């Protein structure tokens, strides 16, 4: 359920505005006045037709059932990261509040407390980039967990050009901005709140549920186990062009919750170039993104060579951070973690075909030398698909989506897994390597102004890049409400 209130200076000050005749809206405005916020907002607002604050929220429940599937082996020789072959169920229940204030001329502050309860498939193990529910968090629990997801400052400097209307959203106060402007964002947020914002694939609560469509699967962006970080990003907009760059911190240990705040020594950098265009009179965007992480992570070749030189340095003997493998005949990354760099380059496209139909594409290749540190076990990835509104059958607020994704591992990554090694998400004890493939189709029904219900189907071929296991069929439902 998402609740949303928008307050403009015109609404607060104009008794003749018919929108203000609602007792609920008057009561809420009185509450804001009572705690001393509205006066400062009135004084600081730059224009009467711009929002001074927003408050919104959402609640989403996503459930999936995985059918039993064939597997030649599972967790071979004590390697613990297989997707279990029996029938399982998984769910997430999340709730988020979004609050935004116009604090001064060009300055905005955003805050988003969040709650989640979850049950992953097989302990969130056994899938590479094709995790069926992108709401799932590493190290999550069934008991509701409350935390701060975002707390950041955004400052905008106008540099001329034409006026552009910025539509309201959970993390965007509606306002008019210059088409040429510089935006600085700093604080606690997700890297993909700013980078790789694809209109047709990226909202797990209303669009595709699978992780492959949240962003590039091979984009190992800096984040804690919940997907959030601290950092700073700058965005320069020049009419149809945009250039973004940012630095964020990653986890102290791979795929864990605690962050490493030594931002000068360990960090994730990214830069993105975007161009807006029209094709056949319909809008579209093309983006190119490059990232470079510097973290204390292990290289696949170092782990293999260390084990071959001394089999005593295996997955069961390391006392440092490890994933608790019981395979004494396998190498382990814990022996070779040190400061290493990881790089990747991706291209994405979004294009409206008609007012009701759009298509998207993403493709990224990472260098494939080091372990997954914060995102999914993928070294190269592509995804594409289409999203359509139900206008043609009289359901304009319904959406239907069909998408396909394919992920690859590097040669060294596959060799490490074939020796029985594991990383944060995968490792069956050996591997008959094939690309991991994912098909997803969903229908999202709008029940009323606030509520949506989705039916979802997914099929994963070669789960965890292993042709000896699968394919896997999953069926899901999603209930999402917003106000």
């Amino acid at each position: 359920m998402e609740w949303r209130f928008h307050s403009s200076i015109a609404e607060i000050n104009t008794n003749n505005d018919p929108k203000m005749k609602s007792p609920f809206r008057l009561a809420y405005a009185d509450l804001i006045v009572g705690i001393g916020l509205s006066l400062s907002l009135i004084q600081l607002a730059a224009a009467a037709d711009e929002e001074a604050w927003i408050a919104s929220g959402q609640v989403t429940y996503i459930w999936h059932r995985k059918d039993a599937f064939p597997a030649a082996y599972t967790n071979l020789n004590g390697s613990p990261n297989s997707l279990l072959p029996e029938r399982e169920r998984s769910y997430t229940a999340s709730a988020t509040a979004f609050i935004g204030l116009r604090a001064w001329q060009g300055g905005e502050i955003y805050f988003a407390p969040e709650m989640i309860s979850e049950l992953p498939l097989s302990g969130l193990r056994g899938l590479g980039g094709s995790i069926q529910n992108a709401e799932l968090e590493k190290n999550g629990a069934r008991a509701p967990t409350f935390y701060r997801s975002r707390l950041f400052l955004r400052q905008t400097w106008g540099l001329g050009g034409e006026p552009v209307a910025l539509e309201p959203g959970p993390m965007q106060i509606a306002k008019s901005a210059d088409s040429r402007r510089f935006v600085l964002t700093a604080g606690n947020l997700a890297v993909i709140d700013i980078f790789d914002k694809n209109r047709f694939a990226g909202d797990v609560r209303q669009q595709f549920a699978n992780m492959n469509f949240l962003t590039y699967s091979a984009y190992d962006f800096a984040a804690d186990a919940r997907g959030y970080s601290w950092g700073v990003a700058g965005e320069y907009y020049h009419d149809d062009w945009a250039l973004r760059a940012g630095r964020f911190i990653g986890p102290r240990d791979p795929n864990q919750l605690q962050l490493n705040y030594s931002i000068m020594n360990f960090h994730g950098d990214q830069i993105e170039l975007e161009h807006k265009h029209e094709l056949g009179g319909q809008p579209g965007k093309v983006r190119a993104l490059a990232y470079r992480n510097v973290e204390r992570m292990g290289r696949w070749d170092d782990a293999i060579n260390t084990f071959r030189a001394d089999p005593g340095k295996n997955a069961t003997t390391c006392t440092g951070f490890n994933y608790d493998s019981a395979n004494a005949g396998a190498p382990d990354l814990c022996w070779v973690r040190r400061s290493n760099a990881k790089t990747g380059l991706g291209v994405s496209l979004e294009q409206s075909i008609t007012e009701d139909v759009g298509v998207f594409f993403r493709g990224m290749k990472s260098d494939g030398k080091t372990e997954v540190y914060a995102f999914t076990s993928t070294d190269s990835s592509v995804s594409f698909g289409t999203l359509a509104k139900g206008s043609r059958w009289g359901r304009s607020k319904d959406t239907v989506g069909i998408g396909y994704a394919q992920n690859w591992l590097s040669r060294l990554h596959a060799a490490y897994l074939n020796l029985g090694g594991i990383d944060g998400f995968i490792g069956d004890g050996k591997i008959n390597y094939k690309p991991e493939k994912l098909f997803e189709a969903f229908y999202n029904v709008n029940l009323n102004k606030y509520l949506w219900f989705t039916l979802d189907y997914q099929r994963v071929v070669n789960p965890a890049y292993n042709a000896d296991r699968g394919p896997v069929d999953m069926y899901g439902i999603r209930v999402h409400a917003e106000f």
Side-chain angles (χ1 to χ4, degrees), residues 7-43:
S7 174
S8 71
I9 302 308
E11 287 178 338
I12 293 175
N13 287 311
T14 306
N15 293 327
N16 294 327
D17 187 344
K19 296 180 180 179
M20 290 301 292
K21 296 185 183 296
S22 163
F24 184 77
R25 294 179 66 88
L26 286 169
Y28 198 85
D30 288 343
L31 176 62
I32 298 300
V33 172
I35 61 176
L37 289 176
S38 65
L39 179 61
S40 61
L41 293 172
I42 292 170
Q43 293 171 338

Side-chain angles (χ1 to χ4, degrees), residues 218-220 269-270 289-293 342-345 364 366:
Y219 184 14
D220 198 7
D269 294 334
Q270 39 271 308
L289 184 147
Y291 80 91
R292 182 178 185 270
N293 296 343
K342 183 176 186 176
T343 60
L345 179 64
M364 174 171 277
S366 294

Side-chain angles (χ1 to χ4, degrees), residues 283-330:
K285 292 182 181 180
V286 178
R287 302 177 186 88
L289 184 147
Y291 80 91
R292 182 178 185 270
N293 296 343
V294 178
E295 305 287 0
R296 189 176 176 273
M297 51 192 167
R299 288 172 55 108
W300 310 116
D301 56 354
D302 287 346
I304 292 170
N305 292 336
T306 296
F307 174 71
R308 286 175 173 169
D310 182 0
K313 293 182 177 180
N314 60 62
T316 66
T317 56
C318 183
T319 58
F321 175 80
N322 59 80
Y323 297 111
D324 298 320
S325 173
N327 191 342

Side-chain angles (χ1 to χ4, degrees), residues 156-441:
T156 302
W157 291 273
L159 302 175
E162 300 296 324
V164 176
L166 300 182
E167 298 297 324
M171 292 281 95
Q172 177 61 66
I173 295 175
K175 63 179 182 179
S176 177
D178 290 349
S179 62
R180 300 176 184 179
R181 62 191 184 277
F182 182 77
V183 182
L184 182 68
T185 304
N188 176 202
L189 68 160
V191 171
I192 56 175
D193 286 341
I194 297 176
F195 295 86
D196 188 38
K197 298 285 288 179
N198 194 297
R199 177 183 173 190
F200 301 117
D203 183 358
V204 66
R205 293 162 181 163
Q206 288 279 50
Q207 299 172 339
F208 296 93
N210 195 280
M211 190 80 76
N212 275 308
F213 304 111
L214 179 67
T215 184
Y216 307 93
S217 292
Y219 184 14
D220 198 7
F221 62 88
D224 64 16
R226 297 185 178 120
Y228 303 107
S229 180
W230 286 83
V232 60
E235 303 174 79
Y236 173 63
Y237 293 85
H238 190 98
D239 301 330
D240 291 337
W241 292 89
L243 179 65
R244 304 178 181 92
R247 170 168 287 191
F248 293 80
I249 57 176
R252 185 172 296 276
D253 293 310
N255 304 291
Q256 302 303 299
L257 188 59
Q258 185 179 7
L259 290 167
N260 188 340
Y261 292 93
S262 181
I263 194 170
M264 299 308 295
N265 297 314
F266 301 103
H267 47 259
D269 294 334
Q270 39 271 308
I271 186 169
E272 182 179 60
L273 181 65
E274 174 186 279
H275 182 254
K276 295 190 297 185
H277 64 265
E278 284 194 358
L279 186 62
Q282 296 295 327
K285 292 182 181 180
V286 178
R287 302 177 186 88
L289 184 147
Y291 80 91
R292 182 178 185 270
N293 296 343
V294 178
E295 305 287 0
R296 189 176 176 273
M297 51 192 167
R299 288 172 55 108
W300 310 116
D301 56 354
D302 287 346
I304 292 170
N305 292 336
T306 296
F307 174 71
R308 286 175 173 169
D310 182 0
K313 293 182 177 180
N314 60 62
T316 66
T317 56
C318 183
T319 58
F321 175 80
N322 59 80
Y323 297 111
D324 298 320
S325 173
N327 191 342
D332 200 282
L333 293 158
C334 70
W335 291 103
V336 295
R337 288 194 177 101
R338 62 174 186 271
S339 181
N340 276 310
K342 183 176 186 176
T343 60
L345 179 64
V347 175
S348 74
L349 166 72
E350 62 178 73
Q351 180 63 54
S352 294
I353 305 302
T354 69
E355 290 185 359
D356 298 326
V357 179
V359 296
F360 67 91
F361 169 85
R362 286 188 178 104
M364 174 171 277
K365 182 174 179 57
S366 294
D367 59 32
K369 299 176 181 178
T370 57
E371 66 180 306
V372 52
Y373 209 75
F375 200 51
T376 69
S377 297
T378 309
D379 296 320
S380 300
S381 62
V382 297
S383 64
F384 54 88
T386 183
L387 205 67
K389 296 179 182 179
S391 304
R392 291 182 178 271
W393 52 93
R395 301 283 305 176
S396 62
K397 293 185 178 180
D398 292 2
T399 53
V400 59
I402 299 175
Y404 176 83
Q406 187 161 317
N407 305 314
W408 296 265
L409 297 181
S410 68
R411 177 183 58 83
L412 287 171
H413 194 167
Y416 170 82
L417 295 174
N418 199 42
L419 289 171
I422 66 170
D423 64 19
F425 294 95
I426 61 176
D428 297 319
K430 63 176 291 189
I431 188 172
N432 177 12
Y433 174 74
K434 295 289 184 182
E436 185 181 75
K437 303 174 183 179
L438 179 280
F439 170 81
E440 180 176 4

Side-chain angles (χ1 to χ4, degrees), residues 63-71 83-90 121-122 132 457-460 463 470-476:
W63 177 93
H64 281 93
R65 188 196 77 189
K66 170 178 69 65
D67 280 350
F69 66 91
L83 186 70
L84 300 179
E86 59 262 26
R87 176 181 290 187
E88 289 184 283
R89 66 183 180 92
S90 169
L121 298 176
S122 305
Q132 83 287 349
Y457 168 72
Q458 300 179 34
R459 182 177 177 86
V460 182
V472 184
D473 291 305
M474 291 178 279
Y475 308 87

